[in-house]
Amino acid sequence: MKTETAVMERFVQIIQNNEELSNPLHNRLQVYRDMVQYRFVETIENIYPILSSQLGPKMMHDLIREFISIGAKNPLIVKMAEEFGDFLRHHAKLKSILYLEDLLWFEYGELELLSRSFKDAQTRFDWNKQYKLSSSSLVRNVSYRVHSSEFDSLCTSSLLLYYHFDEERVYFEEITFFAQQLIDMLEKMTLEHSVIELAQIYELDVEILRESVEKLVTKWCNQRVLIKFTEV
Amino acid sequence: MGMKNIKGCGLGLRREFLAEFSALKKKPDWIEITPENWIFIPHRYAEHFDEIMGSMPVVAHGVSLSIGSPEKIDKSFLREIKTFLDRYNIQHYSEHLSFSTLGGMQTYELLPLPMTKAMVMHIGDKIKQVEDFLQRPLILENASYYLAPYSEMAEVDFLNEIVEYADITLLLDVNNVYVNATNHGFDADAYIKQISPSRVAYMHMAGHLEYPNEALLLDTHGEAISKKVWNLLERTLKKIDRPVMIERDNNIPPLKELMEEYKKLSKIVAKRGTK
């Protein structure tokens, strides 16, 4: 298999790299090169449409070509986009793009939620319950409001991505740090205790706080953003 | 060698028409699915997919095994495939005679193999490993190729030698025979004649495209099946009496249109007497 392996290595090297193909026989190598490139471009541009438009087609295609030459590792093509994200995160040419990390999370997060199957049961509002973020939701602090196409000004906010079960698509919502803190707290204590603690931290009236938290948590329960917390 | 529960005509199941397919009153005799596309089942498809999988005969047709790669089989990938096949109790698993991975790097394309004796043995030994791991026989498809790098035998001989050496059955892709015969200048009927009918498990039909600026047919699975490929199937069926299915992966038309093609296939197969 030594010769066969060498032939296959050379073949892959040619289609992964951009060396000029002058021999007319090489047109067929170009066919393979085009097919491989098309497969990567189609997948990556579908998953990262905003990033593709921000970088422009030339830069995006150059980056994809470079990524192809390094090689994706996961046999499942849907996971290749995640590897491409890591490749971009460490790319020297993109160090100056400060919103990159937030945008990669935002765009890949949508795919992640669309690819999942959910078994979490919907839960009801209850002051005595503990809750946790469902597998159909993601929350993260972002430094750039990439969801509003604001790429230039630093503006930290908290972003919730969630799967909408009736519409079968992913929505995003900017939430307050207070709301994010509430989500974190609900894994450790009941809703009742969380409200009391938050009222103390922010020096707020518990009764007023109860009213807004009830609305928020009811909405999140209905959206299946929050589910019943159960200890593992 | 027949395939248990797989008879008559089949259709490749795709996400694009899953709900519509689920509601069909008269469904195809069996379906083929690509396991890599269903290892992670999106929520919006899960219910229909499970319902279909529980109610019809199914063949799994993989794309990422890369049986011809010089390296060892990727066990963690194979484990995912086995878990999937076990979950849905799928007994039939087919793959391509090609490679797509080298040194752990993925190209996500079916690349051509050097057709040599050493490769026959290499693939034969890997097939055994795959079958042992999956606890199922592996069915291998004659893939399309646009180049035959470092080859010492004809494609059909390469295919037959692997089939004999590994004692497996074939997924005979009739469109690939036509595409390869046109691109490499051999006789498609002579090729079919050299295939032992008892070694064929089932057959594929698909569309192809003429590559611009070059006398080359591309196996795109994105067009309707051409008349010449239908004709080749009719001639093939006179010799090889096996289940046949339509494989469409790109430019997926409305299910109604695909079912028209399916009806055409059914008529041809019925005429031959295989149904």
Side-chain angles (χ1 to χ4, degrees), chain A residues 1 3-5 8-9 11-12 16 27-29 32 34 39 70-76 80 114 116-118 163 165 168, chain B residues 40-44 64 68 70 99 102 104-109 112 116 118-119 122 145-147 149-150 183 211 214 216:
Chain A
M1 274 289 289
T3 314
E4 287 81 354
T5 302
M8 290 158 85
E9 279 169 355
F11 183 81
V12 170
Q16 281 188 321
N27 287 349
R28 297 207 172 180
L29 280 171
Y32 279 104
D34 289 348
R39 183 86 68 187
I70 292 166
K73 302 281 182 290
N74 201 306
L76 302 178
M80 175 268 280
L114 286 175
R116 285 181 188 169
S117 203
F118 311 114
Y163 184 81
F165 284 81
E168 298 179 331
Chain B
F40 301 106
I41 303 179
H43 189 82
R44 64 187 149 150
S64 308
F99 79 108
L102 197 82
M105 293 197 292
Q106 306 289 334
T107 65
Y108 306 108
E109 272 302 336
T116 65
M119 187 56 83
H122 172 69
Y145 60 100
Y146 310 108
L147 263 179
Y150 186 66
N183 289 340
Y211 194 63
E214 198 169 343
L216 189 70

Short mmCIF file of all heavy atoms in Angstrom, two decimals, chain A residues 1 3-5 8-9 11-12 16 27-29 32 34 39 70-76 80 114 116-118 163 165 168, chain B residues 40-44 64 68 70 99 102 104-109 112 116 118-119 122 145-147 149-150 183 211 214 216:
data_model
loop_
_atom_site.label_atom_id
_atom_site.label_comp_id
_atom_site.label_asym_id
_atom_site.label_seq_id
_atom_site.Cartn_x
_atom_site.Cartn_y
_atom_site.Cartn_z
N MET A 1 0.82 -1.23 0.00
CA MET A 1 0.00 0.00 0.00
C MET A 1 0.84 1.27 0.00
O MET A 1 0.28 2.34 0.01
CB MET A 1 -0.91 0.00 1.24
CG MET A 1 -2.21 -0.73 1.06
SD MET A 1 -3.35 0.18 -0.04
CE MET A 1 -3.81 1.58 0.98
N THR A 3 2.82 2.68 -2.32
CA THR A 3 2.63 3.53 -3.50
C THR A 3 1.23 4.10 -3.52
O THR A 3 1.04 5.29 -3.80
CB THR A 3 2.87 2.69 -4.78
OG1 THR A 3 4.05 1.93 -4.60
CG2 THR A 3 2.99 3.56 -6.00
N GLU A 4 0.26 3.27 -3.20
CA GLU A 4 -1.14 3.74 -3.20
C GLU A 4 -1.30 4.90 -2.22
O GLU A 4 -1.94 5.91 -2.54
CB GLU A 4 -2.10 2.60 -2.80
CG GLU A 4 -2.31 1.54 -3.86
CD GLU A 4 -1.19 0.50 -3.91
OE1 GLU A 4 -0.18 0.67 -3.20
OE2 GLU A 4 -1.31 -0.47 -4.67
N THR A 5 -0.71 4.74 -1.04
CA THR A 5 -0.82 5.81 -0.03
C THR A 5 -0.18 7.09 -0.55
O THR A 5 -0.75 8.18 -0.40
CB THR A 5 -0.15 5.35 1.29
OG1 THR A 5 -0.78 4.16 1.71
CG2 THR A 5 -0.28 6.40 2.38
N MET A 8 -2.44 8.69 -3.09
CA MET A 8 -3.61 9.32 -2.46
C MET A 8 -3.20 10.61 -1.73
O MET A 8 -3.94 11.60 -1.75
CB MET A 8 -4.26 8.33 -1.48
CG MET A 8 -4.96 7.18 -2.20
SD MET A 8 -5.17 5.73 -1.16
CE MET A 8 -6.67 6.11 -0.32
N GLU A 9 -2.04 10.57 -1.10
CA GLU A 9 -1.57 11.78 -0.39
C GLU A 9 -1.34 12.93 -1.36
O GLU A 9 -1.73 14.06 -1.11
CB GLU A 9 -0.27 11.47 0.37
CG GLU A 9 -0.54 10.77 1.69
CD GLU A 9 0.71 10.21 2.36
OE1 GLU A 9 1.81 10.27 1.75
OE2 GLU A 9 0.59 9.70 3.48
N PHE A 11 -2.70 13.27 -4.29
CA PHE A 11 -4.01 13.64 -4.83
C PHE A 11 -4.71 14.63 -3.89
O PHE A 11 -5.19 15.69 -4.31
CB PHE A 11 -4.86 12.37 -5.01
CG PHE A 11 -6.20 12.62 -5.64
CD1 PHE A 11 -6.32 12.76 -7.01
CD2 PHE A 11 -7.34 12.72 -4.86
CE1 PHE A 11 -7.56 13.00 -7.60
CE2 PHE A 11 -8.58 12.96 -5.43
CZ PHE A 11 -8.69 13.09 -6.81
N VAL A 12 -4.74 14.27 -2.61
CA VAL A 12 -5.42 15.14 -1.64
C VAL A 12 -4.67 16.47 -1.50
O VAL A 12 -5.28 17.54 -1.40
CB VAL A 12 -5.57 14.42 -0.27
CG1 VAL A 12 -6.04 15.38 0.81
CG2 VAL A 12 -6.55 13.27 -0.40
N GLN A 16 -6.40 20.01 -2.04
CA GLN A 16 -6.52 20.87 -0.85
C GLN A 16 -5.76 22.18 -1.02
O GLN A 16 -6.05 23.15 -0.33
CB GLN A 16 -5.99 20.15 0.38
CG GLN A 16 -6.99 19.15 0.96
CD GLN A 16 -6.51 18.60 2.28
OE1 GLN A 16 -5.33 18.34 2.45
NE2 GLN A 16 -7.42 18.42 3.21
N ASN A 27 -7.51 19.07 -15.54
CA ASN A 27 -8.86 19.63 -15.44
C ASN A 27 -9.73 18.79 -14.52
O ASN A 27 -10.59 19.31 -13.83
CB ASN A 27 -9.51 19.67 -16.83
CG ASN A 27 -8.91 20.77 -17.67
OD1 ASN A 27 -8.17 21.61 -17.16
ND2 ASN A 27 -9.19 20.74 -18.96
N ARG A 28 -9.47 17.51 -14.54
CA ARG A 28 -10.29 16.64 -13.70
C ARG A 28 -9.90 16.76 -12.23
O ARG A 28 -10.74 16.53 -11.35
CB ARG A 28 -10.20 15.20 -14.19
CG ARG A 28 -10.77 15.13 -15.62
CD ARG A 28 -11.30 13.80 -15.96
NE ARG A 28 -11.99 13.88 -17.25
CZ ARG A 28 -12.58 12.87 -17.83
NH1 ARG A 28 -12.58 11.68 -17.25
NH2 ARG A 28 -13.19 13.01 -18.98
N LEU A 29 -8.66 17.10 -12.00
CA LEU A 29 -8.28 17.40 -10.60
C LEU A 29 -9.00 18.67 -10.15
O LEU A 29 -9.42 18.78 -9.01
CB LEU A 29 -6.77 17.62 -10.51
CG LEU A 29 -5.90 16.37 -10.47
CD1 LEU A 29 -4.44 16.75 -10.60
CD2 LEU A 29 -6.11 15.60 -9.17
N TYR A 32 -12.41 17.96 -8.86
CA TYR A 32 -12.42 17.53 -7.46
C TYR A 32 -12.17 18.71 -6.52
O TYR A 32 -12.80 18.83 -5.47
CB TYR A 32 -11.37 16.43 -7.21
CG TYR A 32 -11.87 15.07 -7.63
CD1 TYR A 32 -11.42 14.47 -8.80
CD2 TYR A 32 -12.80 14.40 -6.85
CE1 TYR A 32 -11.89 13.22 -9.19
CE2 TYR A 32 -13.28 13.15 -7.23
CZ TYR A 32 -12.82 12.57 -8.40
OH TYR A 32 -13.30 11.34 -8.77
N ASP A 34 -12.90 21.78 -7.06
CA ASP A 34 -14.12 22.59 -7.03
C ASP A 34 -15.20 21.94 -6.15
O ASP A 34 -15.89 22.62 -5.40
CB ASP A 34 -14.70 22.76 -8.45
CG ASP A 34 -13.84 23.66 -9.31
OD1 ASP A 34 -12.94 24.34 -8.77
OD2 ASP A 34 -14.04 23.67 -10.55
N ARG A 39 -18.41 22.25 -1.32
CA ARG A 39 -18.99 21.60 -0.14
C ARG A 39 -18.71 22.42 1.13
O ARG A 39 -19.59 22.67 1.94
CB ARG A 39 -18.40 20.19 0.01
CG ARG A 39 -18.93 19.38 1.13
CD ARG A 39 -20.17 18.64 0.81
NE ARG A 39 -19.96 17.57 -0.17
CZ ARG A 39 -20.95 16.87 -0.71
NH1 ARG A 39 -22.18 17.14 -0.41
NH2 ARG A 39 -20.69 15.91 -1.57
N ILE A 70 -5.68 22.98 5.81
CA ILE A 70 -5.31 22.48 7.14
C ILE A 70 -6.09 21.19 7.43
O ILE A 70 -5.56 20.25 8.00
CB ILE A 70 -5.61 23.55 8.22
CG1 ILE A 70 -4.65 24.72 8.03
CG2 ILE A 70 -5.47 22.99 9.62
CD1 ILE A 70 -5.05 25.95 8.78
N GLY A 71 -7.36 21.19 7.02
CA GLY A 71 -8.17 19.98 7.14
C GLY A 71 -9.09 19.97 8.33
O GLY A 71 -8.68 20.24 9.46
N ALA A 72 -10.35 19.64 8.05
CA ALA A 72 -11.33 19.46 9.13
C ALA A 72 -11.18 18.04 9.67
O ALA A 72 -10.77 17.15 8.95
CB ALA A 72 -12.73 19.67 8.59
N LYS A 73 -11.49 17.86 10.94
CA LYS A 73 -11.25 16.55 11.56
C LYS A 73 -12.52 15.71 11.74
O LYS A 73 -12.46 14.50 11.73
CB LYS A 73 -10.61 16.74 12.95
CG LYS A 73 -9.29 17.51 12.94
CD LYS A 73 -8.13 16.63 12.51
CE LYS A 73 -6.80 17.34 12.54
NZ LYS A 73 -6.66 18.37 11.48
N ASN A 74 -13.65 16.37 11.94
CA ASN A 74 -14.86 15.61 12.28
C ASN A 74 -15.51 15.03 11.02
O ASN A 74 -15.74 15.76 10.06
CB ASN A 74 -15.85 16.51 13.02
CG ASN A 74 -16.85 15.70 13.81
OD1 ASN A 74 -17.52 14.82 13.27
ND2 ASN A 74 -16.92 15.97 15.10
N PRO A 75 -15.81 13.73 11.01
CA PRO A 75 -16.44 13.14 9.83
C PRO A 75 -17.85 13.70 9.55
O PRO A 75 -18.33 13.60 8.42
CB PRO A 75 -16.54 11.65 10.14
CG PRO A 75 -15.81 11.42 11.40
CD PRO A 75 -15.59 12.73 12.07
N LEU A 76 -18.48 14.28 10.56
CA LEU A 76 -19.82 14.83 10.34
C LEU A 76 -19.70 16.28 9.88
O LEU A 76 -19.17 17.12 10.59
CB LEU A 76 -20.65 14.76 11.62
CG LEU A 76 -20.83 13.35 12.21
CD1 LEU A 76 -21.63 13.41 13.50
CD2 LEU A 76 -21.49 12.41 11.21
N MET A 80 -18.16 20.35 11.15
CA MET A 80 -17.04 21.04 10.51
C MET A 80 -17.11 22.56 10.74
O MET A 80 -16.10 23.24 10.91
CB MET A 80 -17.03 20.70 9.02
CG MET A 80 -16.00 21.40 8.19
SD MET A 80 -16.64 22.91 7.48
CE MET A 80 -17.56 22.28 6.09
N LEU A 114 -30.96 24.45 16.45
CA LEU A 114 -31.77 23.84 15.38
C LEU A 114 -31.41 22.37 15.18
O LEU A 114 -32.20 21.60 14.65
CB LEU A 114 -31.57 24.59 14.06
CG LEU A 114 -32.26 25.94 13.94
CD1 LEU A 114 -31.88 26.63 12.63
CD2 LEU A 114 -33.78 25.80 14.03
N ARG A 116 -30.59 20.25 17.64
CA ARG A 116 -30.86 19.42 18.81
C ARG A 116 -32.27 18.84 18.82
O ARG A 116 -33.19 19.39 18.22
CB ARG A 116 -30.70 20.26 20.09
CG ARG A 116 -29.27 20.53 20.45
CD ARG A 116 -29.24 21.33 21.74
NE ARG A 116 -27.88 21.77 22.05
CZ ARG A 116 -27.58 22.66 22.98
NH1 ARG A 116 -28.54 23.21 23.69
NH2 ARG A 116 -26.33 23.00 23.20
N SER A 117 -32.38 17.77 19.56
CA SER A 117 -33.69 17.19 19.82
C SER A 117 -33.96 17.43 21.30
O SER A 117 -33.06 17.23 22.11
CB SER A 117 -33.60 15.70 19.53
OG SER A 117 -34.84 15.19 19.26
N PHE A 118 -35.16 17.88 21.66
CA PHE A 118 -35.41 18.27 23.05
C PHE A 118 -36.38 17.33 23.74
O PHE A 118 -37.43 17.02 23.20
CB PHE A 118 -35.97 19.69 23.10
CG PHE A 118 -35.17 20.66 22.29
CD1 PHE A 118 -35.71 21.26 21.16
CD2 PHE A 118 -33.85 20.96 22.63
CE1 PHE A 118 -34.97 22.15 20.40
CE2 PHE A 118 -33.11 21.85 21.88
CZ PHE A 118 -33.66 22.44 20.76
N TYR A 163 -35.14 28.22 21.26
CA TYR A 163 -35.89 27.55 20.19
C TYR A 163 -37.37 27.78 20.40
O TYR A 163 -37.90 27.52 21.49
CB TYR A 163 -35.56 26.04 20.22
CG TYR A 163 -36.19 25.25 19.11
CD1 TYR A 163 -35.62 25.22 17.84
CD2 TYR A 163 -37.37 24.54 19.31
CE1 TYR A 163 -36.21 24.49 16.81
CE2 TYR A 163 -37.97 23.81 18.29
CZ TYR A 163 -37.38 23.80 17.05
OH TYR A 163 -37.96 23.08 16.02
N PHE A 165 -40.88 26.60 19.87
CA PHE A 165 -41.44 25.28 19.56
C PHE A 165 -42.58 25.32 18.55
O PHE A 165 -42.78 24.37 17.80
CB PHE A 165 -41.87 24.57 20.84
CG PHE A 165 -40.70 24.01 21.60
CD1 PHE A 165 -39.93 24.83 22.43
CD2 PHE A 165 -40.32 22.70 21.45
CE1 PHE A 165 -38.84 24.33 23.11
CE2 PHE A 165 -39.22 22.18 22.11
CZ PHE A 165 -38.48 23.00 22.94
N GLU A 168 -40.81 26.61 15.16
CA GLU A 168 -39.67 25.75 14.80
C GLU A 168 -38.49 26.54 14.27
O GLU A 168 -37.89 26.20 13.25
CB GLU A 168 -40.11 24.68 13.78
CG GLU A 168 -41.18 23.77 14.34
CD GLU A 168 -41.65 22.71 13.36
OE1 GLU A 168 -41.60 22.96 12.16
OE2 GLU A 168 -42.05 21.64 13.84
N PHE B 40 -27.65 13.54 14.68
CA PHE B 40 -28.28 14.60 15.50
C PHE B 40 -29.61 14.91 14.82
O PHE B 40 -29.62 15.48 13.74
CB PHE B 40 -27.42 15.87 15.53
CG PHE B 40 -26.05 15.63 16.08
CD1 PHE B 40 -24.95 15.60 15.24
CD2 PHE B 40 -25.86 15.42 17.43
CE1 PHE B 40 -23.69 15.37 15.74
CE2 PHE B 40 -24.60 15.19 17.94
CZ PHE B 40 -23.50 15.16 17.09
N ILE B 41 -30.69 14.53 15.48
CA ILE B 41 -31.99 14.75 14.83
C ILE B 41 -32.60 16.04 15.33
O ILE B 41 -32.94 16.17 16.51
CB ILE B 41 -32.95 13.57 15.11
CG1 ILE B 41 -32.30 12.28 14.62
CG2 ILE B 41 -34.29 13.80 14.42
CD1 ILE B 41 -33.14 11.05 14.85
N PRO B 42 -32.74 17.02 14.45
CA PRO B 42 -33.34 18.28 14.87
C PRO B 42 -34.76 18.07 15.38
O PRO B 42 -35.50 17.23 14.85
CB PRO B 42 -33.34 19.12 13.59
CG PRO B 42 -32.30 18.51 12.73
CD PRO B 42 -32.32 17.05 13.04
N HIS B 43 -35.10 18.85 16.39
CA HIS B 43 -36.40 18.69 17.04
C HIS B 43 -37.57 18.70 16.05
O HIS B 43 -38.48 17.88 16.15
CB HIS B 43 -36.59 19.81 18.07
CG HIS B 43 -37.78 19.61 18.92
ND1 HIS B 43 -37.77 18.79 20.02
CD2 HIS B 43 -39.04 20.09 18.82
CE1 HIS B 43 -38.97 18.79 20.57
NE2 HIS B 43 -39.76 19.56 19.86
N ARG B 44 -37.49 19.61 15.09
CA ARG B 44 -38.64 19.75 14.18
C ARG B 44 -38.86 18.52 13.29
O ARG B 44 -39.90 18.37 12.68
CB ARG B 44 -38.51 21.02 13.34
CG ARG B 44 -37.33 21.02 12.39
CD ARG B 44 -37.17 22.37 11.73
NE ARG B 44 -35.76 22.59 11.47
CZ ARG B 44 -35.32 23.31 10.47
NH1 ARG B 44 -36.16 23.89 9.66
NH2 ARG B 44 -34.03 23.47 10.28
N SER B 64 -19.48 8.73 5.07
CA SER B 64 -18.24 9.19 5.71
C SER B 64 -17.31 8.08 6.18
O SER B 64 -16.35 8.35 6.88
CB SER B 64 -18.57 10.09 6.91
OG SER B 64 -19.45 11.10 6.55
N GLY B 68 -11.54 3.29 1.87
CA GLY B 68 -10.26 3.14 1.16
C GLY B 68 -9.09 3.90 1.77
O GLY B 68 -7.96 3.77 1.30
N PRO B 70 -5.89 4.96 3.83
CA PRO B 70 -4.81 4.09 4.30
C PRO B 70 -4.84 3.88 5.82
O PRO B 70 -4.37 2.86 6.30
CB PRO B 70 -3.55 4.85 3.91
CG PRO B 70 -3.98 5.93 2.98
CD PRO B 70 -5.41 6.20 3.23
N PHE B 99 -12.58 6.98 -0.94
CA PHE B 99 -12.07 7.49 0.33
C PHE B 99 -12.39 8.98 0.42
O PHE B 99 -12.57 9.65 -0.60
CB PHE B 99 -10.56 7.22 0.49
CG PHE B 99 -9.65 8.16 -0.26
CD1 PHE B 99 -8.89 9.11 0.42
CD2 PHE B 99 -9.51 8.09 -1.64
CE1 PHE B 99 -8.02 9.97 -0.26
CE2 PHE B 99 -8.65 8.93 -2.33
CZ PHE B 99 -7.91 9.88 -1.65
N LEU B 102 -8.01 11.54 4.79
CA LEU B 102 -6.60 11.13 4.71
C LEU B 102 -5.85 11.77 5.87
O LEU B 102 -5.94 12.98 6.06
CB LEU B 102 -6.00 11.57 3.36
CG LEU B 102 -4.71 10.84 3.03
CD1 LEU B 102 -4.99 9.47 2.43
CD2 LEU B 102 -3.88 11.63 2.06
N GLY B 104 -6.56 11.70 8.83
CA GLY B 104 -7.52 12.30 9.76
C GLY B 104 -8.15 13.59 9.25
O GLY B 104 -8.95 14.21 9.92
N MET B 105 -7.78 14.00 8.03
CA MET B 105 -8.36 15.23 7.47
C MET B 105 -9.52 14.88 6.55
O MET B 105 -9.40 14.01 5.70
CB MET B 105 -7.31 16.02 6.70
CG MET B 105 -6.22 16.57 7.59
SD MET B 105 -5.28 17.86 6.78
CE MET B 105 -4.43 16.97 5.52
N GLN B 106 -10.63 15.61 6.72
CA GLN B 106 -11.83 15.31 5.95
C GLN B 106 -11.93 16.18 4.71
O GLN B 106 -11.62 17.37 4.76
CB GLN B 106 -13.07 15.60 6.82
CG GLN B 106 -13.11 14.92 8.15
CD GLN B 106 -13.33 13.43 8.03
OE1 GLN B 106 -13.92 12.95 7.06
NE2 GLN B 106 -12.87 12.69 9.02
N THR B 107 -12.41 15.57 3.61
CA THR B 107 -12.70 16.38 2.42
C THR B 107 -14.21 16.44 2.17
O THR B 107 -14.67 17.26 1.41
CB THR B 107 -12.03 15.79 1.16
OG1 THR B 107 -12.61 14.51 0.89
CG2 THR B 107 -10.53 15.64 1.33
N TYR B 108 -14.96 15.53 2.80
CA TYR B 108 -16.41 15.42 2.62
C TYR B 108 -16.79 15.15 1.17
O TYR B 108 -17.90 15.47 0.74
CB TYR B 108 -17.14 16.67 3.15
CG TYR B 108 -16.77 16.99 4.57
CD1 TYR B 108 -15.97 18.08 4.88
CD2 TYR B 108 -17.19 16.17 5.61
CE1 TYR B 108 -15.60 18.35 6.19
CE2 TYR B 108 -16.82 16.44 6.92
CZ TYR B 108 -16.03 17.53 7.20
OH TYR B 108 -15.66 17.79 8.50
N GLU B 109 -15.89 14.57 0.40
CA GLU B 109 -16.19 14.16 -0.98
C GLU B 109 -15.74 12.72 -1.17
O GLU B 109 -14.85 12.25 -0.46
CB GLU B 109 -15.44 15.06 -1.98
CG GLU B 109 -16.18 16.31 -2.38
CD GLU B 109 -17.56 16.08 -3.00
OE1 GLU B 109 -17.78 14.98 -3.55
OE2 GLU B 109 -18.39 16.97 -2.90
N PRO B 112 -11.43 9.20 -5.64
CA PRO B 112 -11.14 7.94 -6.34
C PRO B 112 -9.95 7.19 -5.73
O PRO B 112 -9.00 7.80 -5.25
CB PRO B 112 -10.80 8.42 -7.75
CG PRO B 112 -10.27 9.79 -7.58
CD PRO B 112 -10.97 10.38 -6.40
N THR B 116 -5.82 -1.21 -7.43
CA THR B 116 -4.69 -2.15 -7.44
C THR B 116 -5.00 -3.36 -6.56
O THR B 116 -5.93 -3.32 -5.74
CB THR B 116 -3.41 -1.48 -6.89
OG1 THR B 116 -3.63 -1.17 -5.51
CG2 THR B 116 -3.05 -0.21 -7.64
N ALA B 118 -3.16 -4.44 -4.13
CA ALA B 118 -2.90 -4.09 -2.73
C ALA B 118 -4.11 -3.39 -2.12
O ALA B 118 -4.47 -3.62 -0.95
CB ALA B 118 -1.67 -3.18 -2.64
N MET B 119 -4.76 -2.55 -2.92
CA MET B 119 -5.95 -1.84 -2.43
C MET B 119 -7.11 -2.81 -2.21
O MET B 119 -7.87 -2.66 -1.25
CB MET B 119 -6.34 -0.74 -3.44
CG MET B 119 -7.45 0.18 -2.97
SD MET B 119 -7.14 1.01 -1.40
CE MET B 119 -6.16 2.42 -1.92
N HIS B 122 -6.36 -4.36 1.09
CA HIS B 122 -6.49 -3.35 2.15
C HIS B 122 -7.97 -3.12 2.48
O HIS B 122 -8.37 -3.15 3.65
CB HIS B 122 -5.82 -2.05 1.68
CG HIS B 122 -6.04 -0.90 2.58
ND1 HIS B 122 -5.48 -0.82 3.84
CD2 HIS B 122 -6.79 0.23 2.43
CE1 HIS B 122 -5.85 0.31 4.41
NE2 HIS B 122 -6.65 0.96 3.57
N TYR B 145 -16.26 8.32 -10.44
CA TYR B 145 -14.91 8.90 -10.32
C TYR B 145 -14.56 9.59 -11.63
O TYR B 145 -15.02 9.20 -12.70
CB TYR B 145 -13.86 7.82 -9.96
CG TYR B 145 -13.76 6.70 -10.98
CD1 TYR B 145 -12.75 6.67 -11.94
CD2 TYR B 145 -14.71 5.68 -10.99
CE1 TYR B 145 -12.67 5.66 -12.88
CE2 TYR B 145 -14.64 4.66 -11.92
CZ TYR B 145 -13.62 4.65 -12.86
OH TYR B 145 -13.57 3.65 -13.80
N TYR B 146 -13.77 10.62 -11.52
CA TYR B 146 -13.42 11.42 -12.70
C TYR B 146 -11.97 11.23 -13.09
O TYR B 146 -11.52 11.72 -14.12
CB TYR B 146 -13.76 12.89 -12.44
CG TYR B 146 -15.17 13.01 -11.93
CD1 TYR B 146 -15.44 13.33 -10.60
CD2 TYR B 146 -16.24 12.71 -12.76
CE1 TYR B 146 -16.74 13.37 -10.12
CE2 TYR B 146 -17.55 12.74 -12.29
CZ TYR B 146 -17.79 13.07 -10.96
OH TYR B 146 -19.08 13.07 -10.50
N LEU B 147 -11.23 10.56 -12.25
CA LEU B 147 -9.82 10.24 -12.47
C LEU B 147 -9.58 8.86 -11.87
O LEU B 147 -10.18 8.51 -10.86
CB LEU B 147 -8.95 11.21 -11.67
CG LEU B 147 -8.36 12.44 -12.33
CD1 LEU B 147 -7.58 13.22 -11.30
CD2 LEU B 147 -7.46 12.09 -13.50
N PRO B 149 -6.45 7.42 -10.47
CA PRO B 149 -5.02 7.58 -10.20
C PRO B 149 -4.33 6.24 -9.92
O PRO B 149 -4.82 5.45 -9.12
CB PRO B 149 -4.99 8.47 -8.94
CG PRO B 149 -6.32 8.29 -8.31
CD PRO B 149 -7.29 7.89 -9.37
N TYR B 150 -3.24 6.01 -10.59
CA TYR B 150 -2.40 4.82 -10.39
C TYR B 150 -3.24 3.54 -10.33
O TYR B 150 -3.35 2.88 -9.30
CB TYR B 150 -1.57 4.98 -9.10
CG TYR B 150 -0.57 3.87 -8.89
CD1 TYR B 150 0.51 3.70 -9.75
CD2 TYR B 150 -0.70 2.99 -7.82
CE1 TYR B 150 1.42 2.67 -9.57
CE2 TYR B 150 0.21 1.96 -7.63
CZ TYR B 150 1.26 1.80 -8.49
OH TYR B 150 2.15 0.79 -8.31
N ASN B 183 -17.44 8.80 -19.03
CA ASN B 183 -16.24 9.59 -18.72
C ASN B 183 -14.93 8.85 -19.01
O ASN B 183 -13.91 9.48 -19.29
CB ASN B 183 -16.24 10.02 -17.24
CG ASN B 183 -17.31 11.07 -16.96
OD1 ASN B 183 -17.78 11.74 -17.87
ND2 ASN B 183 -17.69 11.19 -15.71
N TYR B 211 -20.81 18.53 -17.26
CA TYR B 211 -19.92 19.58 -16.73
C TYR B 211 -19.59 20.55 -17.86
O TYR B 211 -19.16 20.13 -18.94
CB TYR B 211 -18.63 18.94 -16.21
CG TYR B 211 -17.79 19.85 -15.35
CD1 TYR B 211 -18.28 20.34 -14.14
CD2 TYR B 211 -16.51 20.20 -15.73
CE1 TYR B 211 -17.51 21.16 -13.34
CE2 TYR B 211 -15.72 21.02 -14.92
CZ TYR B 211 -16.23 21.50 -13.73
OH TYR B 211 -15.46 22.30 -12.94
N GLU B 214 -16.40 20.83 -20.80
CA GLU B 214 -15.62 19.61 -20.86
C GLU B 214 -16.55 18.42 -21.08
O GLU B 214 -17.66 18.41 -20.60
CB GLU B 214 -14.85 19.40 -19.55
CG GLU B 214 -13.73 18.42 -19.73
CD GLU B 214 -12.79 18.41 -18.53
OE1 GLU B 214 -12.82 19.36 -17.75
OE2 GLU B 214 -12.05 17.45 -18.42
N LEU B 216 -17.61 15.83 -19.81
CA LEU B 216 -17.58 15.12 -18.53
C LEU B 216 -18.97 15.12 -17.90
O LEU B 216 -19.63 16.15 -17.85
CB LEU B 216 -16.60 15.85 -17.60
CG LEU B 216 -16.25 15.16 -16.29
CD1 LEU B 216 -15.39 13.93 -16.52
CD2 LEU B 216 -15.51 16.12 -15.35
#
